[in-house]
Amino acid sequence: MLADQEKEREVAQTKLTAALIEKEQVSSDLNTMERSCSDLFKRLDKYKDVVEGFKKNEETLKACAQDYLERIRKEEQRYKTLKAHAEEKIGQTSLHSIESVKCKTCNV
């Protein structure tokens, strides 16, 4: 009977030791998972900040592009106006030159 109790106590002690080792392993695994989750959330926040920065840059670039397009349209209009004015002046000068040549030939 004493041997049976001793045997049962050894079995119980072995089970207790195994349970404690398993508890330590589970606790270690839990700590590792918590650190991994914490790192994951930190990276997620970092990526959110990066994406937000990209969106702000995109908005700024779009605004600059619109500004440049507007400036190009204005410069094209100015070019057309100057071109028309230059063509008009060239036409007037050509007519004036032709009339001068005619007057000179008439006088000769």
Side-chain angles (χ1 to χ4, degrees):
M1 181 154 176
L2 197 56
D4 288 339
Q5 286 179 346
E6 186 66 32
K7 191 86 159 160
E8 285 178 16
R9 198 167 59 187
E10 285 179 15
V11 169
Q13 185 65 36
T14 305
K15 287 181 180 180
L16 178 62
T17 303
L20 288 174
I21 291 172
E22 184 179 351
K23 177 189 170 230
E24 288 298 319
Q25 182 63 41
V26 168
S27 178
S28 174
D29 291 346
L30 177 62
N31 288 335
T32 303
M33 291 291 288
E34 286 176 346
R35 277 194 307 270
S36 294
C37 285
S38 175
D39 291 344
L40 181 65
F41 284 120
K42 286 178 185 176
R43 282 189 292 174
L44 180 63
D45 287 339
K46 186 177 174 182
Y47 290 143
K48 284 180 182 178
D49 291 341
V50 168
V51 167
E52 185 177 319
F54 285 154
K55 286 182 180 180
K56 286 181 181 178
N57 287 344
E58 181 183 20
E59 290 172 8
T60 302
L61 290 172
K62 282 182 180 179
C64 286
Q66 289 297 327
D67 183 47
Y68 289 140
L69 287 173
E70 184 61 31
R71 286 172 61 186
I72 288 171
R73 280 189 223 113
K74 287 179 181 178
E75 288 299 320
E76 284 176 346
Q77 185 62 36
R78 182 172 172 251
Y79 170 76
K80 289 177 183 177
T81 303
L82 289 173
K83 183 179 175 184
H85 180 71
E87 288 173 347
E88 180 183 329
K89 290 293 182 181
I90 289 172
Q92 288 176 356
T93 305
S94 295
L95 287 176
H96 187 269
S97 295
I98 293 170
E99 289 175 3
S100 294
V101 169
K102 285 182 181 180
C103 285
K104 286 183 184 179
T105 54
C106 288
N107 289 337
V108 174

